[in-house]
Amino acid sequence: MNMELAIAAANRAMVRHLGRHLSDVEAEILKGSWQGWTYDQIADASGYSDSYLRRDVGAKLWRSLSEALGETVSKTSFREALNRQLEAAQPVVPQAAEDIAGYIERSTLESICYDTLVQPGALVRVKSPSLMGKTLMMDQVLAQLEAAGLRTVHLSMKLADRKAHFSDLNRFLRWLCINISRALELPHQIDDYWDEADMGSKVSCSTYIEDYLLNVTDVPLVLCLDDVDLLFPYPDIYEDFFGLLRSWYELARTRTRPAWKQLRLAIVHSTDVYIPLNINQSPFNVGVPVELPEFTPEQAQQFADQYQLSKLNLTALMDMVGGHPYLLQQAFEHLKGHPDRSLVELLATAPTESGIYANHLRDCWLGIREHPQLQNILSTVMTARDPVVLDSILSHQLHSMGLIKLQGNLAEPRCQLYRQYFQTRLESV
């Protein structure tokens, strides 16, 4: 891979890292700037007025990026600034990206993913409940793979329109191929390869991937499919799609279709796979499994250090929220931004509607309040002194939301924050 391509790959990785921590409107400006758009063009695409983009958002965005990159950056100089940064060093993701992300290395897990995905025809399965850092870790791994010369695509099922794209397998697979092409900055040529009536949508999709995306170059492609558990309620989609992923994995192990060795798959999900799948057609029993645990006390301390909170009483905080990355981050950001407020004050109101977690807890409640069965199971877990036996698909749903821990069929609250909040909330139902 030549230097120009390496720099372009690393630039895309930098954009992805920065974009995770921007507001929606800032992300629209960044995306448009990467494509060389004017403010008028960004306004047309995003629905915001160009005066708002210029005056109220643009100055703040370019100031923050200037601090991250160590030089003055504007909308028109963004690409050039990144190129200068990367040409002066090795074509890897600059440290600034990791600093902005507040990222804590999970070096063993990252190494497993990286070492697996550089292999021909590889597949990794990354699992953890919501808000545990799966996507951020995979961003790190994909950035490393891009720096090593591989093409990468990170595509979340959250981007699909459920009513449109999850209603029909053909529409879903076309959506998939179009968005992979877009992520690779290639014009899609769907209509040249698609023949639903005679070949069928699965063969059409496979032909498009093989002939258009894989055969045209000898550069391997890492396809990371995130939030695939969003497909679980749609058997008309998942039965064929997961079987298709398994077939691609198997094709990489044959000598007759060498292009498939260029494809490496990463499947990311938040819950155990409770859907019925033929054991020979499932991608969830092959490849390398990776599960993200909570942060250890040592990792939590590294995280606190990034916020200059090295003297914080982490024991008291972790007694409340455990090693949950998102909950720790919310506490650190609040304490950093409110130096006059103590951890004791924060913890006193943490499980209440007036605490810093109020919006998060309310979102969790909204996810279960219309489901009496979920409420009953959650109430059982939150009020029990010891782990309780659960054998239900509903328990996996609570686990995917991050509210409970599962050890086999035994369930317990993920942390005291959830126990205290839901004990009070469920008593009032």
Side-chain angles (χ1 to χ4, degrees):
M1 187 177 189
N2 63 35
M3 178 60 74
E4 182 179 353
L5 289 176
I7 289 173
N11 280 353
R12 289 195 297 274
M14 172 66 111
V15 170
R16 183 171 56 242
H17 279 286
L18 293 174
R20 285 181 52 77
H21 297 274
L22 302 174
S23 68
D24 289 343
V25 62
E26 288 173 327
E28 290 288 350
I29 296 176
L30 190 64
K31 174 184 169 184
S33 302
W34 177 251
Q35 299 178 27
W37 290 358
T38 66
Y39 273 113
D40 287 340
Q41 290 171 314
I42 299 173
D44 289 342
S46 66
Y48 298 103
S49 69
D50 74 330
S51 61
Y52 172 66
L53 297 176
R54 291 173 188 272
R55 184 186 65 250
D56 296 338
V57 183
K60 174 177 175 289
L61 171 64
W62 304 120
R63 184 166 60 251
S64 66
L65 294 187
S66 295
E67 294 172 357
L69 297 178
E71 63 175 283
T72 301
V73 180
S74 69
K75 189 177 79 69
T76 54
S77 67
F78 175 56
R79 272 196 177 212
E80 291 77 7
L82 285 180
N83 282 338
R84 282 194 295 274
Q85 291 283 325
L86 292 160
E87 286 171 343
Q90 296 297 316
V92 298
V93 181
Q95 184 65 36
E98 296 182 3
D99 291 342
I100 292 173
Y103 184 71
I104 299 301
E105 287 188 0
R106 301 171 185 253
S107 55
T108 301
L109 301 182
E110 292 164 14
S111 297
I112 291 172
C113 292
Y114 178 89
D115 292 342
T116 301
L117 291 170
V118 294
Q119 302 300 318
L123 185 151
V124 295
R125 296 177 279 114
V126 180
K127 183 186 77 168
S128 78
S130 297
L131 302 175
M132 291 289 288
K134 301 182 298 297
T135 297
L136 189 56
M137 186 190 78
M138 287 310 301
D139 274 347
Q140 294 289 120
V141 173
L142 293 175
Q144 295 169 24
L145 291 165
E146 283 196 14
L150 283 70
R151 298 178 295 163
T152 69
V153 173
H154 195 168
L155 183 59
S156 170
M157 298 301 106
K158 289 180 179 178
L159 298 176
D161 185 327
R162 299 189 191 191
K163 291 184 179 179
H165 302 120
F166 290 173
S167 63
D168 175 80
L169 180 67
N170 185 67
R171 296 185 70 178
F172 173 74
L173 293 179
R174 287 177 66 94
W175 172 85
L176 179 78
C177 290
I178 288 172
N179 280 277
I180 294 173
S181 303
R182 180 176 176 273
L184 293 171
E185 300 181 357
L186 295 170
H188 80 75
Q189 298 183 3
I190 293 292
D191 293 335
D192 293 341
Y193 291 87
W194 219 266
D195 184 359
E196 181 190 8
D198 293 326
M199 289 199 307
S201 56
K202 290 193 293 183
V203 174
S204 296
C205 178
S206 297
T207 302
Y208 186 84
I209 297 288
E210 181 177 15
D211 291 352
Y212 183 53
L213 300 182
L214 298 178
N215 264 329
V216 294
T217 177
D218 60 357
V219 180
L221 171 61
V222 182
L223 176 58
C224 179
L225 299 172
D226 210 341
D227 304 299
V228 299
D229 40 308
L230 293 180
L231 296 174
F232 290 178
Y234 303 92
D236 291 344
I237 302 294
Y238 76 66
E239 289 177 353
D240 285 313
F241 178 58
F242 290 146
L244 189 63
L245 295 181
R246 174 64 178 265
S247 73
W248 295 347
Y249 174 79
E250 298 293 350
L251 283 169
R253 277 145 182 74
T254 69
R255 295 184 178 181
T256 57
R257 309 279 283 278
W260 288 102
K261 294 186 184 298
Q262 300 291 72
L263 180 67
R264 295 92 197 269
L265 293 170
I267 301 174
V268 184
H269 55 108
S270 297
T271 185
D272 291 327
V273 181
Y274 56 79
I275 53 176
L277 286 172
N278 184 314
I279 191 172
N280 297 313
Q281 295 180 347
S282 172
F284 296 103
N285 55 10
V286 293
V288 177
V290 174
E291 185 164 0
L292 272 67
E294 294 186 348
F295 283 161
T296 64
E298 292 74 22
Q299 289 172 319
Q301 185 61 64
Q302 293 175 34
F303 205 3
D305 291 344
Q306 291 188 2
Y307 290 86
Q308 291 80 50
L309 297 171
S310 57
K311 297 181 179 180
L312 189 68
N313 183 354
L314 278 180
T315 300
L317 179 58
M318 295 185 75
D319 284 345
M320 176 63 74
V321 303
H324 194 300
Y326 174 78
L327 299 179
L328 289 171
Q329 181 184 37
Q330 293 301 296
F332 296 155
E333 289 184 352
H334 182 83
L335 292 170
K336 178 69 174 178
H338 300 80
D340 57 330
R341 189 161 191 216
S342 70
L343 177 62
V344 173
E345 293 174 297
L346 184 152
L347 294 177
T349 60
T352 73
E353 295 289 348
S354 61
I356 68 166
Y357 299 114
N359 289 336
H360 168 66
L361 294 170
R362 205 173 298 122
D363 287 343
C364 293
W365 172 245
L366 291 175
I368 65 170
R369 70 173 182 177
E370 303 300 330
H371 303 280
Q373 290 179 299
L374 279 178
Q375 291 183 35
N376 291 337
I377 291 178
L378 189 62
S379 178
T380 299
V381 175
M382 295 300 170
T383 56
R385 293 186 176 181
D386 299 310
V388 296
V389 176
L390 296 179
D391 185 14
S392 170
I393 289 175
L394 297 176
S395 66
H396 290 297
Q397 293 179 6
L398 293 175
H399 179 257
S400 72
M401 294 172 67
L403 299 180
I404 65 174
K405 295 179 181 179
L406 284 178
Q407 204 52 271
N409 289 333
L410 290 175
E412 61 181 335
R414 179 159 293 280
C415 60
Q416 285 299 313
L417 176 73
Y418 294 148
R419 183 192 289 275
Q420 294 179 30
Y421 175 80
F422 282 105
Q423 278 183 339
T424 303
R425 171 63 75 171
L426 291 166
E427 286 174 359
S428 63
V429 174

